[in-house]
Amino acid sequence: MESDWQEVQRIRLPPTEDDQFGPIANIGTIAFDTQEELLWVGTIHGHVTSFYWPVERQLQKYTALPAHRHDEGSVQQFLFNDRGVLSVAANSVHFMIRRALTLWHLADSDMTHLACMSFLGKDSSLILVAGCQKFMFKVDVQQGSIVERLPATSEYIMLKNARLYICAATSRGSIDFLHPQSLDVVKTWNAHSSKISSIDAGHDYLVTCGWSTRPYGNPSLDTIAKVYDLKRLEQLAPISFPAGAAFVQVHPKLATTSVVASQNGQVHIADIANTDQARVVHMSLSSFMTVMVMSASGNVWAIVDQDNAIQLWASHPKLNFCDTPRPTEFADAVTPVPHMTVDSDLPFGTIGMPFYHEKLASNWSFDRISEVLKPPLAIDPVVLKQLQPDPNGTGRAQWVRNPRKTPRNPIDLLESREPNGSSPALRRPTSQRNSNDERRVHAATDSFAHMVVSSKPERVPQLYQYVPITYPDWSKLPFNFESYNGTVYSGLENDFTNCYLNSFLQVLRFTTIIRNLSLHHVAGSCLSDGCLLCEMGFLFDMLEKAVGVVCRATNLVKTFSSRPEAVKLSILEEQSLRNTLEARLSAANRFILQQICADFRKASPYDCAFDKALITNGDQGFKCLNCGYATYRREASHVTTLMYPDLGHVGRHRHHIPRFTEALNLGFQGELRSRGWCLGCKRYASMDSQRTITSLSDVLVVNAGLDKSPKSRQAWATPGWLPQEIRITIEAGNITCNEGKQLQPFRNYRNTVMYELVGVVAEIAGVEPQKPHLISLVDVALSNPKSQAKNQWHLFNDFLVAPIDQHEALNFSPPWKSPVMLTYQVKHARNTIDDSWKGALDINPLFYNGSMNQIGHPNSLKPNEPMPAGTLVAIDAEFVVLQKAEYSIPFDWVPNEQLKGLKTILPDRHALGRVSVLRGSGPEEGEPFIDDYVIVNEKIVDYLTRYSGIEEGDLDPRISKHAPMHLKVAYKKLWLLLNLGCIFIGHGLNNDFRSINIHVPDAQFIDTSKLYQKGEYTLKLSVIASVVLKEEIQTGNHDSVEDARAALKVYRKYQEFVAKGVLEQKVDECYAENARIQAWGKKKGKREAGGGSADLGGVSGRMTPEVGVRGLGSGPGTPVGRGKGRDEGCFESPLRAS
């Protein structure tokens, strides 16, 4: 193999329109075609796309189609033969020609978790399909049918045909060698102790790589690739690969050559017979590699990274995918239509007309016409006589004074023809109306009887009002969040876009099933940058650690907003201002639940815990009202919308209010009438649809649906209408929902599931000057580790949190309080808090040094390096500005350096640019083991190079010399250190942690700015270092490693001063030095910019220049409110003690 491997092209998968998920570009697998110059790509939602490799050597999109249902998950594997392409997903096998026309699609009830397939021979038409399930299948590719159903001895995740045997990788890390004819297990080889990452077979050799269990933590990638001789059935010498072998490929042409690659892009080309001699290729990647394949010619590699970018690498000048490729078939060129001039001399007979076998839709018969329009009223002759010309008009306009003989803007009903040709009942005289007409009139009268018309709207109580955050005007103390929350449950700030999700996130946080699964997922090995489930786990852990301190969901909302599907669904505030909050949240909750299920499946393809928790399965039936033809399809729903009975139905008692379970039952059944294509009569027709529920999820997320049925608001206004417990029974295809007294006889019924209410999201109507907003009402007793005798309902109004009475929480009679969605959870999940994830943290990201772009760098954390609770680490972070602050300038404002008198409308918005963490003890004390530059995908308006040391281009993965990584990876390292119990040391850490969006308990960090504080002012790190350490730091651009090391040294000096009893003297010397520096600066007419996040003046000197004002250490974007005085018009906290 040539050694000059280089990247020849990099593309992203084009968006594919999907009705439910929007643009999709998440790649699950790729494969080179063995017959033609095509590259095939399968997504995690079942879509298949192919790319053509022309002579110009630029990939072009060839075909695309949805080969599998989106709920089956990722396309697992491709196989190729002369006729077409085979693809497999969890529940089906698909066969199509290369022009994307389906030949057959095979699904079976025993196909539950398919994962792999292989031909049984070189020219065989039979394939073996297997997975993590009880059965394997022999499938005839020619017929598209199952030939034989075989019991599986193990759960197989990969299959490779190696001529002599079929090599089957199991989920336990072993390899079964199957006989190609009988499929009996000839031998089993325990290749890896945990699981297998990749296998490949060729030239009578099998090469594998995978994970093995380590005594110090979770499984990690082996540093060798294992080789097996298939002729002698014995293991050979392994291929050494210190970077961690994640992918292997056997060269299709060179008998003893194999390719081994790591997740970071390091590739070894090794000879199996001589493993000591290997050529090394380094690939420039901005994120981890997820897929790697080699073409049939061996001349081209294709890899996929976590950003879903496809890269082609090649070394041979003849860049063919196949040695002798077959010509690829393209569509015929469209023959242009000849131009025809239509004039008076053209015979109409020469113009072709289509021929129709049936009547056109426009040819309506009289019996299909149901309504006629009322002709306009004749103008009164008296009015016509009084018409006068308009003096300002054109001469044709005329006017007349309104005689006011008729009501203003009258509305006339359309007349519907009765079968006998007469007018409807409302047009008949009173004497001819029947009893049904009278019943309708009484029902309408009764429905308005309880309503009271008021001249002014009802006032919203203060607890429910929208609370804005006021920003600093450089003369007041920071915003006092504590006065709005006297509980141990943390609220969320509301000063960023799409914060309407706060209420929904609070309900999910107290849903124990979702909480447990999210935290277990984030503690695992997932490092995907766009994983919404990880961000949810980070947020839930932060809210629990904060214990009443306000938090921010900015990282989760940023990930949510970056999803292209969210744009299509119009659930982003900046793109859907016309949508109501109810409509926006009703679509957003469905989208979020779908995404977190997909994220969980992507990280754990063989674990269906999240699907069981959130997906309600059923069969949707459609029946044509014209011909009676019926069709069925499977349907998986994450959210159910209530459907209310018609309150004005003739057969319903006029005082009857439907029960909640009646609306829920109708929502499950989903009875609708719509128009659709009928396969029976081959045309569009009216169709009835109804759903049959087959299995229920453990968590029921229910949309109230009042935006589609506003008249049903009166049901919610009924006291006690929303039950706290419901019972759902599925039997013989029928679903029954019960509540109240109906629960008692069926509590222990075997087909019954008991649910209890977790929380409700409600919309609070806006009354000027308030604006509409969402709140959540949650029973926090359900998520308490200890069982509570009584329910404990709490109101979460963003950062305002207060306990409320159960009756008030479930009372929706006030017109300003409307339910939007609610969540029920199976009753046996109450108080089941699972914190076992804390002892199963995957700490492998800590061993990766991002700045050096490699594992095993001398400064990296060693696998055997202890990291017990209480370990000291020094930290410093640098930030860049994404958006400058906006100020309101009074007309009488006098410009000054301290910006006094200005009121901030919008604060600076920052992003993490670099974070450094140093060892705080041991022989390598002061040495960094984390020094990560972070990719910023948004536009940076100011790098703050003087204060951050970050220069333009440092955060761009295409040109940076520092190999920056995604925020998710850098954040997870800090999160792991936090949960390992490390104690952080730094200067002004409160501001850094706030900007990073992580909460560290007070017991787990030491702020050096507080150690040397006297009075209300804090000193700059450079001032303290010059006095205490006799060192000058931050003389040029700042460096986070230098600042963290200085903070660590300052802390060690603090310990010495305390032991000697001279701390107060040293603090006085620091303040004296600071006074000297300030006096010198004023004399020179300069302002000295500081270096710590809590510098004197209270503003982050590292992220913004010094402003030298009094106040606490508020960082970038820290909101502040009024000081000791009380401004007029300010919202007064209802929780503030009088």
Side-chain angles (χ1 to χ4, degrees), residues 996-1024:
I996 296 172
N997 196 23
I998 189 172
H999 179 85
V1000 180
D1002 293 343
Q1004 279 191 252
F1005 75 91
I1006 300 171
D1007 192 341
T1008 54
S1009 68
K1010 305 298 183 183
L1011 300 182
Y1012 292 84
Q1013 183 178 0
K1014 183 175 67 174
E1016 60 180 313
Y1017 297 113
T1018 56
L1019 298 175
K1020 296 180 288 186
L1021 180 61
S1022 59
V1023 174
I1024 300 175

Short mmCIF file of all heavy atoms in Angstrom, two decimals, residues 996-1024:
data_model
loop_
_atom_site.label_atom_id
_atom_site.label_comp_id
_atom_site.label_asym_id
_atom_site.label_seq_id
_atom_site.Cartn_x
_atom_site.Cartn_y
_atom_site.Cartn_z
N ILE A 996 -19.88 28.76 32.36
CA ILE A 996 -19.78 27.40 31.82
C ILE A 996 -21.12 26.68 31.93
O ILE A 996 -21.38 25.73 31.21
CB ILE A 996 -18.69 26.62 32.58
CG1 ILE A 996 -17.31 27.26 32.34
CG2 ILE A 996 -18.64 25.16 32.16
CD1 ILE A 996 -16.21 26.68 33.20
N ASN A 997 -22.00 27.14 32.80
CA ASN A 997 -23.32 26.56 33.05
C ASN A 997 -23.20 25.23 33.80
O ASN A 997 -23.76 24.22 33.41
CB ASN A 997 -24.10 26.35 31.74
CG ASN A 997 -25.58 26.12 32.00
OD1 ASN A 997 -26.11 26.52 33.03
ND2 ASN A 997 -26.26 25.49 31.07
N ILE A 998 -22.44 25.27 34.88
CA ILE A 998 -22.31 24.11 35.76
C ILE A 998 -22.39 24.62 37.20
O ILE A 998 -21.89 25.70 37.50
CB ILE A 998 -20.99 23.37 35.50
CG1 ILE A 998 -20.95 22.04 36.25
CG2 ILE A 998 -19.78 24.23 35.87
CD1 ILE A 998 -19.77 21.17 35.88
N HIS A 999 -23.04 23.86 38.06
CA HIS A 999 -23.15 24.26 39.47
C HIS A 999 -22.23 23.37 40.30
O HIS A 999 -22.34 22.14 40.27
CB HIS A 999 -24.58 24.12 39.98
CG HIS A 999 -24.71 24.51 41.42
ND1 HIS A 999 -24.90 25.81 41.83
CD2 HIS A 999 -24.67 23.76 42.56
CE1 HIS A 999 -24.97 25.85 43.15
NE2 HIS A 999 -24.84 24.61 43.62
N VAL A 1000 -21.34 24.00 41.04
CA VAL A 1000 -20.43 23.30 41.93
C VAL A 1000 -20.80 23.68 43.36
O VAL A 1000 -20.82 24.87 43.70
CB VAL A 1000 -18.96 23.67 41.64
CG1 VAL A 1000 -18.02 22.93 42.59
CG2 VAL A 1000 -18.61 23.36 40.19
N PRO A 1001 -21.11 22.73 44.21
CA PRO A 1001 -21.46 23.05 45.61
C PRO A 1001 -20.32 23.79 46.30
O PRO A 1001 -19.14 23.64 45.95
CB PRO A 1001 -21.71 21.67 46.23
CG PRO A 1001 -22.04 20.77 45.08
CD PRO A 1001 -21.26 21.29 43.93
N ASP A 1002 -20.67 24.58 47.30
CA ASP A 1002 -19.67 25.37 48.01
C ASP A 1002 -18.57 24.50 48.61
O ASP A 1002 -17.41 24.93 48.71
CB ASP A 1002 -20.35 26.18 49.12
CG ASP A 1002 -21.27 27.25 48.56
OD1 ASP A 1002 -21.12 27.57 47.35
OD2 ASP A 1002 -22.13 27.76 49.29
N ALA A 1003 -18.91 23.28 49.01
CA ALA A 1003 -17.91 22.41 49.64
C ALA A 1003 -16.89 21.87 48.65
O ALA A 1003 -15.89 21.28 49.05
CB ALA A 1003 -18.61 21.24 50.33
N GLN A 1004 -17.13 22.09 47.34
CA GLN A 1004 -16.25 21.51 46.34
C GLN A 1004 -15.46 22.56 45.57
O GLN A 1004 -14.94 22.25 44.50
CB GLN A 1004 -17.05 20.63 45.36
CG GLN A 1004 -17.33 19.24 45.89
CD GLN A 1004 -17.89 18.31 44.83
OE1 GLN A 1004 -19.07 17.98 44.85
NE2 GLN A 1004 -17.06 17.90 43.89
N PHE A 1005 -15.38 23.77 46.04
CA PHE A 1005 -14.47 24.72 45.39
C PHE A 1005 -13.93 25.72 46.41
O PHE A 1005 -14.58 26.02 47.42
CB PHE A 1005 -15.15 25.44 44.22
CG PHE A 1005 -16.12 26.51 44.59
CD1 PHE A 1005 -15.72 27.83 44.73
CD2 PHE A 1005 -17.47 26.21 44.79
CE1 PHE A 1005 -16.62 28.82 45.06
CE2 PHE A 1005 -18.37 27.19 45.12
CZ PHE A 1005 -17.94 28.50 45.26
N ILE A 1006 -12.73 26.19 46.13
CA ILE A 1006 -12.04 27.17 46.97
C ILE A 1006 -11.71 28.37 46.09
O ILE A 1006 -10.96 28.24 45.12
CB ILE A 1006 -10.76 26.58 47.58
CG1 ILE A 1006 -11.08 25.36 48.44
CG2 ILE A 1006 -10.00 27.64 48.37
CD1 ILE A 1006 -9.85 24.60 48.91
N ASP A 1007 -12.31 29.51 46.39
CA ASP A 1007 -12.11 30.72 45.61
C ASP A 1007 -11.03 31.56 46.29
O ASP A 1007 -11.22 32.08 47.39
CB ASP A 1007 -13.43 31.50 45.52
CG ASP A 1007 -13.38 32.61 44.48
OD1 ASP A 1007 -12.26 33.01 44.11
OD2 ASP A 1007 -14.45 33.07 44.06
N THR A 1008 -9.89 31.70 45.62
CA THR A 1008 -8.78 32.44 46.23
C THR A 1008 -9.08 33.92 46.38
O THR A 1008 -8.47 34.61 47.20
CB THR A 1008 -7.51 32.26 45.39
OG1 THR A 1008 -7.78 32.62 44.02
CG2 THR A 1008 -7.04 30.82 45.43
N SER A 1009 -10.05 34.45 45.59
CA SER A 1009 -10.40 35.87 45.76
C SER A 1009 -11.06 36.11 47.12
O SER A 1009 -10.98 37.21 47.67
CB SER A 1009 -11.34 36.31 44.64
OG SER A 1009 -12.59 35.67 44.75
N LYS A 1010 -11.72 35.07 47.68
CA LYS A 1010 -12.35 35.21 48.99
C LYS A 1010 -11.35 34.99 50.13
O LYS A 1010 -11.56 35.47 51.24
CB LYS A 1010 -13.51 34.21 49.12
CG LYS A 1010 -14.55 34.31 48.01
CD LYS A 1010 -15.23 35.65 47.99
CE LYS A 1010 -16.31 35.69 46.91
NZ LYS A 1010 -16.95 37.01 46.82
N LEU A 1011 -10.29 34.23 49.85
CA LEU A 1011 -9.31 33.95 50.90
C LEU A 1011 -8.55 35.20 51.32
O LEU A 1011 -8.14 35.34 52.47
CB LEU A 1011 -8.32 32.88 50.43
CG LEU A 1011 -8.90 31.51 50.05
CD1 LEU A 1011 -7.79 30.57 49.64
CD2 LEU A 1011 -9.72 30.92 51.19
N TYR A 1012 -8.37 36.13 50.35
CA TYR A 1012 -7.61 37.35 50.63
C TYR A 1012 -8.52 38.57 50.57
O TYR A 1012 -8.10 39.64 50.15
CB TYR A 1012 -6.47 37.49 49.62
CG TYR A 1012 -5.38 36.46 49.77
CD1 TYR A 1012 -5.51 35.20 49.16
CD2 TYR A 1012 -4.25 36.71 50.51
CE1 TYR A 1012 -4.53 34.24 49.29
CE2 TYR A 1012 -3.24 35.76 50.65
CZ TYR A 1012 -3.40 34.52 50.04
OH TYR A 1012 -2.41 33.57 50.17
N GLN A 1013 -9.77 38.43 50.96
CA GLN A 1013 -10.73 39.53 50.88
C GLN A 1013 -10.86 40.22 52.23
O GLN A 1013 -10.90 39.58 53.29
CB GLN A 1013 -12.10 39.02 50.43
CG GLN A 1013 -13.14 40.12 50.27
CD GLN A 1013 -14.47 39.57 49.77
OE1 GLN A 1013 -14.61 38.38 49.55
NE2 GLN A 1013 -15.43 40.45 49.61
N LYS A 1014 -10.94 41.55 52.19
CA LYS A 1014 -11.19 42.37 53.38
C LYS A 1014 -12.23 43.40 52.99
O LYS A 1014 -12.00 44.21 52.11
CB LYS A 1014 -9.90 43.05 53.87
CG LYS A 1014 -10.10 43.84 55.16
CD LYS A 1014 -8.80 44.41 55.68
CE LYS A 1014 -8.26 45.49 54.75
NZ LYS A 1014 -7.06 46.16 55.32
N GLY A 1015 -13.37 43.35 53.61
CA GLY A 1015 -14.45 44.24 53.23
C GLY A 1015 -15.23 43.67 52.06
O GLY A 1015 -15.31 42.46 51.87
N GLU A 1016 -15.82 44.57 51.27
CA GLU A 1016 -16.66 44.11 50.17
C GLU A 1016 -15.90 44.01 48.86
O GLU A 1016 -16.43 43.53 47.86
CB GLU A 1016 -17.86 45.07 49.98
CG GLU A 1016 -17.47 46.50 49.68
CD GLU A 1016 -18.69 47.39 49.52
OE1 GLU A 1016 -19.61 46.98 48.80
OE2 GLU A 1016 -18.71 48.46 50.11
N TYR A 1017 -14.67 44.47 48.81
CA TYR A 1017 -13.90 44.42 47.57
C TYR A 1017 -13.08 43.14 47.51
O TYR A 1017 -12.61 42.64 48.53
CB TYR A 1017 -12.94 45.63 47.48
CG TYR A 1017 -13.63 46.97 47.43
CD1 TYR A 1017 -13.51 47.87 48.48
CD2 TYR A 1017 -14.39 47.32 46.33
CE1 TYR A 1017 -14.14 49.09 48.44
CE2 TYR A 1017 -15.02 48.55 46.28
CZ TYR A 1017 -14.90 49.43 47.34
OH TYR A 1017 -15.51 50.65 47.29
N THR A 1018 -12.89 42.62 46.30
CA THR A 1018 -11.97 41.51 46.08
C THR A 1018 -10.84 41.99 45.20
O THR A 1018 -11.01 42.89 44.36
CB THR A 1018 -12.69 40.32 45.40
OG1 THR A 1018 -13.28 40.77 44.18
CG2 THR A 1018 -13.75 39.74 46.31
N LEU A 1019 -9.69 41.38 45.35
CA LEU A 1019 -8.49 41.80 44.65
C LEU A 1019 -8.24 40.96 43.41
O LEU A 1019 -8.66 39.80 43.32
CB LEU A 1019 -7.28 41.70 45.58
CG LEU A 1019 -7.30 42.58 46.83
CD1 LEU A 1019 -6.10 42.26 47.71
CD2 LEU A 1019 -7.33 44.04 46.46
N LYS A 1020 -7.51 41.54 42.48
CA LYS A 1020 -7.10 40.83 41.28
C LYS A 1020 -6.06 39.78 41.62
O LYS A 1020 -5.27 39.93 42.56
CB LYS A 1020 -6.56 41.81 40.25
CG LYS A 1020 -7.58 42.81 39.75
CD LYS A 1020 -7.01 43.75 38.73
CE LYS A 1020 -6.05 44.76 39.40
NZ LYS A 1020 -5.59 45.79 38.45
N LEU A 1021 -6.05 38.71 40.82
CA LEU A 1021 -5.08 37.65 41.05
C LEU A 1021 -3.66 38.16 40.86
O LEU A 1021 -2.74 37.76 41.59
CB LEU A 1021 -5.36 36.49 40.09
CG LEU A 1021 -4.42 35.28 40.19
CD1 LEU A 1021 -4.48 34.66 41.58
CD2 LEU A 1021 -4.77 34.25 39.12
N SER A 1022 -3.44 39.06 39.91
CA SER A 1022 -2.10 39.58 39.67
C SER A 1022 -1.58 40.36 40.87
O SER A 1022 -0.38 40.31 41.19
CB SER A 1022 -2.10 40.46 38.41
OG SER A 1022 -3.00 41.54 38.57
N VAL A 1023 -2.45 41.09 41.56
CA VAL A 1023 -2.04 41.85 42.74
C VAL A 1023 -1.65 40.90 43.86
O VAL A 1023 -0.61 41.07 44.52
CB VAL A 1023 -3.17 42.80 43.18
CG1 VAL A 1023 -2.81 43.49 44.49
CG2 VAL A 1023 -3.46 43.83 42.10
N ILE A 1024 -2.48 39.88 44.10
CA ILE A 1024 -2.18 38.93 45.17
C ILE A 1024 -0.88 38.18 44.87
O ILE A 1024 -0.03 37.98 45.75
CB ILE A 1024 -3.34 37.95 45.36
CG1 ILE A 1024 -4.62 38.71 45.74
CG2 ILE A 1024 -3.02 36.90 46.41
CD1 ILE A 1024 -5.86 37.83 45.81
#
